[in-house]
Amino acid sequence: MSRRRKRRAAQRDRRLESPLLRLPFRRLRNPFPPFECLDQEQVEQLHQASMRILEEIGLDFFDEEALDIWQKAGAKVDHTNQHVWLDRGLILEAVSKAPQTFTWHARNPEHDVEIGRNNIAFAPHSGMVYVTDLENGRRRATYADFKRFLKLAQMSNVLHFAGSEVVAPSDVPPNVRHLKRVLAAFTLTDKAVRDVAHGRIIPADNIKMAQIVFGNDLTQKPVIGGVINVNSPLRYDKRMLGGMITYARAGQISIVTPFILAGAMSPITIISALAQQNAEALAGVALTQLVNPGSPVIYGGFTTNTDMKSGSPAFGTPEGARALLIGAQLARRYGLPYRGSGSLNTSKAPDAQAAYESMWTVWPAVLAHTNFIHHAVGWLESGLTASLEKFIIDAENLAMFHHFLQEINITEEALALDMIAEIGPGGHHFGTPHTQARFQNEFYQPFVSDRLNYETWQAAGGFDAAQRATLVWRELLEAYQPPELDPAVREGLMEFAGRRELELEGENLYDE
Amino acid sequence: MSRRRKRRAAQRDRRLESPLLRLPFRRLRNPFPPFECLDQEQVEQLHQASMRILEEIGLDFFDEEALDIWQKAGAKVDHTNQHVWLDRGLILEAVSKAPQTFTWHARNPEHDVEIGRNNIAFAPHSGMVYVTDLENGRRRATYADFKRFLKLAQMSNVLHFAGSEVVAPSDVPPNVRHLKRVLAAFTLTDKAVRDVAHGRIIPADNIKMAQIVFGNDLTQKPVIGGVINVNSPLRYDKRMLGGMITYARAGQISIVTPFILAGAMSPITIISALAQQNAEALAGVALTQLVNPGSPVIYGGFTTNTDMKSGSPAFGTPEGARALLIGAQLARRYGLPYRGSGSLNTSKAPDAQAAYESMWTVWPAVLAHTNFIHHAVGWLESGLTASLEKFIIDAENLAMFHHFLQEINITEEALALDMIAEIGPGGHHFGTPHTQARFQNEFYQPFVSDRLNYETWQAAGGFDAAQRATLVWRELLEAYQPPELDPAVREGLMEFAGRRELELEGENLYDE
């Protein structure tokens, strides 16, 4: 580090106020057994139902290359209707080739993330059209907003990912957005990067940019990937298949996620939705393994219920919680890493509803051993809007989970029976050496929650949680410093992105 | 029902708007396995530590009758210092006599509640000094507020208890409050009633009032009880011991709950706090069984951490969540019903913090198979204030748990593979007979959460969750009708309460 950088870093450290800024980056495991709603027999019932869906009903694959792969593997294929029927033998054989666990490499190796088993990784929101904050209100997101959220993700050590399309920047043409996104992700952050999986061109560009950062041979080094949403019920479209095949072939990551609102894209019962989700997800996972056996893939669940009054999606619901938990059991049934979500809600404001619906998502996600917890911060309004305040409120809860998931060790020192004896009945433990040695780090220190008494709180302005969160995101953005980056790599990224922007001008990226 | 009552009931039914008013009363079980943080060996380590505390360090019991009971049972007693040392043999033998499960009878037998095993009962807040709502702000609670909360508890079918000292009415002299409370609980509600356990006079009065309602022989019929807070560390005071002994002797319920803020009333490590909690709770449970073997008793946990910056209690924390979960494992170790809490938080407003801290309490409580979930609604400001809006927001989450905890049955009908086949890829399930037959009841219907789109929400006033909760509690109070009550019972209660009010005027209820 140069002297100037060092001085700036020292100045920065002195001004850090929020405990969020003092949290170290830490890989996370859930040391407790996964919480399971179904017994083994019920898991098998769902498995059998999914197998029957795959074999007897089948799925559409709207992509000729995908259909050819299925045919070559021995599936029954109807090319005219772009439909396939998939035998359980074929599916389970292919699925068994997927790795149980893999490392998602970050530009900074200290930020590498393990995906699978009882590892948990938190990733920010993505796909939002609007951005909102208490001062400026709700408006179309821009590239400036996009960069703002990336900086917040970099500064929030509770998050393991830099984020992908944290917001869709309305001031950037759609067909060059991926270049701007990935360039920003690799320069403004040094965390693991995910982007989208739309068609064949975007993932290919993304992989090329990743090669500039990580070197040319990425076949055994997962560094980038995207979510493959199934067009439920039972249909993979060309765009998603192109993305999946492109990433899988390059040894990169597919997060195969059926998007099911029970009652709309599946029968209304959550059990039926899960049988369908399982069939859809396994078909996608199997395809990645036919393309490239052993390539990293994640079984995703995004099943929740429809609000039957309005026909719109309902998030943070009891049904969504059950679907999340049972989805994890199914993924474990096949030894696959699992993706769920973290802060889903339908609220329009960072209020009590936003908070409790989010907790109805992140609690089951953590309990289920969800390996990749997407949308773990920032969601508002069914995913239409990214909220700066909600980002911080959610980050507080992720920080609490980091604390909650620490392993429990029962040692003589922790038990401290000598202290209990010494203080005896009716005394207090504030001043003991045991307390004094630990009081700074033993407990979780909040950065949004306010524990002042009423009078002091009121005298300090009487701010609610959202208003306090404003102060924190401002502080994070002020404290932001770009992580170090080899100037040649930066140059390479800029050059590639600049050239491709020109090449893609006016181009249609999806040959649909 | 008289014709007039019937007509009024019919009118009432027509005007019911909130889904909360349409929910039926339902006993609740957690059909899923309890979530456990500790393995069996760790539970044994805590058990052993607690036994050493009981045997080697001992506890104060500031009550001569209690000391005599211990001495008679063979404990080593120091009468001068009012201190006892308790052998594990004595403790475990006594604890083993406590029932694993019992019925807490309500005035309306349809509202009887099972306590123990995987049964869950939700009870309202208690002990609040202030009341707050969005319109009138925070003020000292009165008897009118007290009655208002009882009515809300009666009308909220998600709650299993009528509440006890939901708020402390500042306009009623302290030494007659129990008479007003129990009179109101038995007349304004027909749910299970709990009151306080302060001294010998109050519980005796409460039992007499219960006898007017349930008949004279209550020795085998638990109908009333109270929380016994241990004056941690390691001290039972005369007031609580008087209450415990009085209830136990009459076959009524003690909820033995050490009140530990780790770092203040115990060593700072949660593990140490739990070893101490366990010793304290077991000592109390054992005493109830020495007084009256087989009398109903609940093992309570209220352990959380101190905020080490301010010295004040911290609620809704990761530490509190761990303590709640591990406390349940300890209670199960001894086959005892378990009491935890539901909506603890330190927020001063019904905002995002209030919501997420509460979820950090109620999620672990439900996962742990907590049998008696106290303070399940209404808490604000570390228990100083009862919030009308928070009551409703919490009730929404309890209703969600009622839905979440329904047993999962995987049937052919639920799987609906025929519907998946019929709709096929790319279709939608809104109009199928399977959906049409179920759409009204399949999913949880919120009464606080708003799922409208942004524009419609804004046009409707742009209310946040707390503002919408105001409409719900108003509606509940408007719809309130007192449950039917035998006029002779009402008369008997009024007469008793009136006479005792006069007798207790100026009396000191605690002979300390």
Side-chain angles (χ1 to χ4, degrees):
Chain A
M1 233 194 274
S2 73
R3 187 171 304 182
R4 195 166 138 264
R5 283 185 79 93
K6 268 191 198 145
R7 202 171 56 234
R8 269 165 49 189
Q11 283 169 349
R12 192 174 72 229
D13 288 349
R14 269 201 301 281
R15 16 171 245 276
L16 298 188
E17 298 264 358
S18 173
L20 174 54
L21 284 164
R22 293 196 297 266
L23 289 174
F25 181 90
R26 205 166 66 80
R27 285 185 202 111
L28 192 58
R29 276 163 188 254
N30 185 339
F32 310 125
F35 177 74
E36 308 204 316
C37 295
L38 298 189
D39 59 35
Q40 273 324 101
E41 195 187 323
Q42 290 177 311
V43 172
E44 281 316 294
Q45 281 180 286
L46 275 186
H47 165 72
Q48 293 298 337
S50 304
M51 293 299 114
R52 285 184 55 199
I53 294 170
L54 290 166
E55 291 175 342
E56 297 167 22
I57 304 172
L59 295 88
D60 288 350
F61 282 84
F62 284 1
D63 184 88
E64 281 309 318
E65 188 183 3
L67 292 171
D68 289 344
I69 295 166
W70 283 124
Q71 185 143 28
K72 226 179 104 191
K76 182 176 158 200
V77 177
D78 172 352
H79 280 274
T80 314
N81 295 303
Q82 300 191 297
H83 193 80
V84 302
W85 293 264
L86 300 166
D87 274 357
R88 64 187 70 197
L90 165 58
I91 286 289
L92 296 177
E93 166 73 15
V95 165
S96 73
K97 301 213 164 95
Q100 272 210 310
T101 178
F102 63 88
T103 304
W104 192 318
H105 293 273
R107 182 159 78 68
N108 177 351
E110 285 174 22
H111 292 166
D112 286 356
V113 181
E114 284 302 304
I115 304 288
R117 296 214 179 86
N118 69 341
N119 295 287
I120 290 186
F122 292 123
H125 52 93
S126 80
M128 271 75 171
V129 177
Y130 300 99
V131 62
T132 190
D133 66 76
L134 290 193
E135 195 186 327
N136 300 302
R138 182 177 180 264
R139 69 272 182 190
R140 284 245 161 213
T142 63
Y143 191 52
D145 295 314
F146 176 84
K147 287 192 285 189
R148 193 172 290 135
F149 279 109
L150 279 198
K151 289 175 183 176
L152 289 178
Q154 171 69 11
M155 295 301 283
S156 302
N157 271 338
V158 293
L159 289 169
H160 299 93
F161 279 79
S164 54
E165 199 177 16
V166 279
V167 291
S170 58
D171 51 353
V172 178
N175 57 338
V176 301
R177 282 182 188 166
H178 66 289
L179 300 167
K180 294 262 193 212
R181 281 198 305 265
V182 177
L183 174 66
F186 279 136
T187 52
L188 297 179
T189 92
D190 61 2
K191 290 189 179 176
V193 171
R194 136 175 138 61
D195 197 61
V196 302
H198 298 162
R200 284 167 165 85
I201 297 168
I202 290 173
D205 279 351
N206 289 350
I207 291 164
K208 280 187 193 127
M209 294 180 86
Q211 284 170 322
I212 294 169
V213 176
F214 292 96
N216 278 334
D217 187 7
L218 296 181
T219 52
Q220 301 301 319
K221 188 169 189 173
V223 299
I224 198 161
V227 168
I228 317 296
N229 276 132
V230 185
N231 203 337
S232 304
L234 303 175
R235 179 173 288 165
Y236 279 83
D237 66 23
K238 192 174 185 58
R239 185 184 296 201
M240 294 271 101
L241 287 167
M244 181 158 80
I245 291 169
T246 309
Y247 280 130
R249 189 160 284 142
Q252 300 308 305
I253 304 129
S254 294
I255 307 169
V256 181
T257 311
F259 180 19
I260 298 180
L261 302 172
M265 290 92 121
S266 80
I268 193 166
T269 45
I270 286 290
I271 283 304
S272 179
L274 287 165
Q276 182 185 311
Q277 170 194 298
N278 195 43
E280 292 174 350
L282 290 179
V285 169
L287 189 63
T288 63
Q289 301 306 302
L290 293 174
V291 170
N292 182 3
S295 60
V297 60
I298 301 174
Y299 176 122
F302 197 76
T303 296
T304 185
N305 56 304
T306 310
D307 182 277
M308 297 311 286
K309 266 193 198 162
S310 62
S312 54
F315 292 110
T317 69
E319 294 82 8
R322 288 170 92 145
L324 220 169
L325 288 159
I326 296 171
Q329 287 192 259
L330 291 166
R332 263 195 298 284
R333 161 77 174 70
Y334 308 105
L336 296 169
Y338 180 59
R339 169 255 152 117
S341 306
S343 72
L344 309 189
N345 69 91
T346 61
S347 184
K348 272 63 68 182
D351 64 350
Q353 179 189 344
Y356 68 70
E357 286 184 337
S358 294
M359 300 300 282
W360 271 89
T361 316
V362 72
W363 262 94
V366 167
L367 292 169
H369 285 202
T370 307
N371 305 115
F372 182 86
I373 302 188
H374 197 19
H375 306 306
V377 293
W379 249 58
L380 218 54
E381 206 194 310
S382 302
L384 274 179
T385 297
S387 156
L388 286 155
E389 283 81 17
K390 182 71 174 9
F391 186 109
I392 299 299
I393 291 169
D394 291 328
E396 168 99 303
N397 282 282
L398 301 190
M400 288 166 81
F401 276 113
H402 273 269
H403 202 90
F404 177 73
L405 294 176
Q406 286 173 0
E407 246 176 85
I408 297 176
N409 294 306
I410 303 189
T411 60
E412 283 302 307
E413 232 195 314
L415 284 170
L417 297 191
D418 53 338
M419 286 298 126
I420 295 178
E422 190 175 312
I423 295 302
H428 72 77
H429 287 258
F430 279 124
T432 69
H434 188 264
T435 302
Q436 288 301 312
R438 287 168 181 79
F439 80 97
Q440 281 184 312
N441 298 311
E442 188 68 17
F443 300 139
Y444 173 70
Q445 262 199 53
F447 45 86
V448 175
S449 294
D450 179 297
R451 295 173 181 163
L452 298 174
N453 68 37
Y454 185 84
E455 290 71 20
T456 318
W457 169 77
Q458 212 176 31
F463 293 152
D464 69 13
Q467 290 170 312
R468 293 191 301 273
T470 301
L471 306 178
V472 179
W473 68 254
R474 289 233 170 92
E475 196 185 347
L476 255 63
L477 288 181
E478 254 178 60
Y480 173 80
Q481 293 276 327
E484 290 195 63
L485 174 62
D486 179 345
V489 170
R490 179 190 306 272
E491 201 52 46
L493 287 169
M494 303 269 284
E495 197 188 25
F496 179 87
R499 178 168 54 77
R500 288 295 286 159
E501 274 199 39
L502 294 175
E503 288 171 3
L504 293 178
E505 210 176 282
E507 198 78 11
N508 173 11
L509 299 195
Y510 314 113
D511 47 351
E512 286 164 275
Chain B
M1 233 192 281
S2 72
R3 188 171 301 182
R4 195 166 137 265
R5 283 185 80 95
K6 267 192 197 145
R7 204 172 54 234
R8 267 165 52 190
Q11 282 169 351
R12 189 175 76 230
D13 288 350
R14 270 201 300 281
R15 25 167 240 275
L16 299 187
E17 298 264 356
S18 173
L20 173 53
L21 283 165
R22 293 196 298 267
L23 289 174
F25 181 90
R26 205 166 66 81
R27 284 184 203 111
L28 192 59
R29 276 163 188 252
N30 185 339
F32 311 125
F35 177 74
E36 308 204 316
C37 294
L38 298 189
D39 59 35
Q40 274 323 102
E41 195 186 324
Q42 290 177 311
V43 173
E44 281 315 295
Q45 280 180 286
L46 275 186
H47 165 71
Q48 294 298 337
S50 304
M51 294 300 114
R52 286 184 53 199
I53 293 170
L54 289 166
E55 291 175 344
E56 298 167 23
I57 304 172
L59 293 88
D60 287 351
F61 282 84
F62 283 1
D63 183 87
E64 281 310 318
E65 188 181 3
L67 292 172
D68 288 343
I69 295 167
W70 283 124
Q71 184 143 26
K72 224 179 104 190
K76 182 176 159 199
V77 177
D78 172 351
H79 280 275
T80 313
N81 294 305
Q82 300 191 297
H83 193 81
V84 301
W85 292 263
L86 301 166
D87 275 356
R88 64 187 71 196
L90 166 59
I91 286 290
L92 296 177
E93 166 73 14
V95 165
S96 73
K97 300 213 165 96
Q100 271 209 311
T101 178
F102 63 89
T103 304
W104 192 318
H105 293 274
R107 181 159 78 69
N108 176 352
E110 285 174 22
H111 291 167
D112 286 356
V113 181
E114 285 302 304
I115 304 288
R117 298 216 176 86
N118 69 341
N119 294 287
I120 290 186
F122 293 123
H125 52 93
S126 81
M128 271 75 172
V129 177
Y130 300 100
V131 62
T132 191
D133 67 76
L134 290 193
E135 196 186 326
N136 300 303
R138 182 179 182 264
R139 70 270 182 189
R140 282 244 162 215
T142 63
Y143 190 51
D145 295 314
F146 175 83
K147 288 191 285 187
R148 193 171 290 134
F149 279 109
L150 279 198
K151 290 175 183 176
L152 290 178
Q154 172 69 10
M155 295 301 283
S156 302
N157 271 337
V158 295
L159 289 170
H160 300 94
F161 278 79
S164 54
E165 198 176 18
V166 279
V167 293
S170 58
D171 51 354
V172 177
N175 56 340
V176 301
R177 281 182 189 166
H178 65 290
L179 301 167
K180 294 260 194 215
R181 280 198 307 265
V182 177
L183 174 65
F186 280 137
T187 52
L188 298 179
T189 92
D190 62 2
K191 290 188 177 175
V193 171
R194 131 173 143 63
D195 197 63
V196 303
H198 299 164
R200 284 166 165 85
I201 298 168
I202 290 174
D205 279 349
N206 291 349
I207 291 164
K208 280 187 194 130
M209 293 181 87
Q211 285 171 321
I212 295 169
V213 176
F214 293 96
N216 278 334
D217 187 7
L218 296 180
T219 51
Q220 302 300 319
K221 187 170 188 172
V223 299
I224 199 160
V227 168
I228 317 296
N229 276 132
V230 185
N231 205 337
S232 305
L234 303 174
R235 177 173 290 165
Y236 278 83
D237 65 24
K238 191 173 185 60
R239 185 184 297 201
M240 294 271 103
L241 287 168
M244 181 157 78
I245 291 169
T246 309
Y247 280 130
R249 188 160 286 145
Q252 300 307 307
I253 305 130
S254 294
I255 306 169
V256 180
T257 312
F259 181 18
I260 299 180
L261 302 172
M265 290 91 121
S266 80
I268 194 166
T269 45
I270 286 290
I271 283 303
S272 180
L274 287 166
Q276 182 185 311
Q277 171 194 297
N278 196 42
E280 292 174 350
L282 290 179
V285 170
L287 188 62
T288 63
Q289 301 307 303
L290 294 175
V291 170
N292 183 3
S295 61
V297 60
I298 302 174
Y299 176 122
F302 197 77
T303 296
T304 184
N305 55 305
T306 310
D307 182 276
M308 296 311 286
K309 266 193 198 162
S310 61
S312 54
F315 292 110
T317 68
E319 294 82 8
R322 287 169 91 143
L324 219 168
L325 288 159
I326 296 171
Q329 288 192 258
L330 291 166
R332 263 194 296 285
R333 160 77 174 72
Y334 308 105
L336 295 170
Y338 180 59
R339 169 255 153 117
S341 306
S343 71
L344 309 189
N345 69 92
T346 61
S347 184
K348 270 65 68 183
D351 63 350
Q353 179 190 344
Y356 68 70
E357 286 184 336
S358 294
M359 300 300 282
W360 272 88
T361 316
V362 72
W363 262 94
V366 167
L367 292 169
H369 286 200
T370 307
N371 305 115
F372 182 87
I373 302 188
H374 198 18
H375 306 305
V377 293
W379 249 59
L380 219 56
E381 205 194 310
S382 301
L384 273 180
T385 296
S387 156
L388 285 155
E389 283 81 19
K390 181 71 173 11
F391 187 108
I392 299 298
I393 290 169
D394 291 328
E396 168 100 304
N397 282 282
L398 302 190
M400 288 166 81
F401 276 113
H402 272 270
H403 202 91
F404 177 73
L405 295 176
Q406 286 173 0
E407 246 175 85
I408 297 177
N409 294 306
I410 304 189
T411 60
E412 282 302 308
E413 232 195 313
L415 284 169
L417 297 191
D418 53 338
M419 286 297 126
I420 296 178
E422 192 175 311
I423 296 301
H428 71 78
H429 287 257
F430 279 124
T432 69
H434 189 264
T435 302
Q436 287 301 310
R438 287 168 180 78
F439 80 97
Q440 281 184 313
N441 298 311
E442 188 68 18
F443 300 140
Y444 173 70
Q445 263 199 54
F447 44 87
V448 175
S449 294
D450 180 299
R451 295 172 181 163
L452 298 174
N453 68 38
Y454 185 84
E455 290 72 20
T456 317
W457 169 77
Q458 212 176 31
F463 293 152
D464 69 13
Q467 291 170 311
R468 292 191 301 274
T470 301
L471 306 179
V472 179
W473 68 255
R474 289 232 171 92
E475 198 186 345
L476 255 62
L477 288 181
E478 253 178 60
Y480 172 80
Q481 293 276 326
E484 291 194 63
L485 174 62
D486 179 345
V489 170
R490 179 190 307 273
E491 202 50 46
L493 288 168
M494 304 268 286
E495 196 189 27
F496 179 86
R499 178 170 52 80
R500 289 294 287 159
E501 275 198 39
L502 294 176
E503 288 171 6
L504 293 177
E505 211 177 280
E507 199 78 9
N508 174 11
L509 300 196
Y510 314 113
D511 48 351
E512 285 162 275

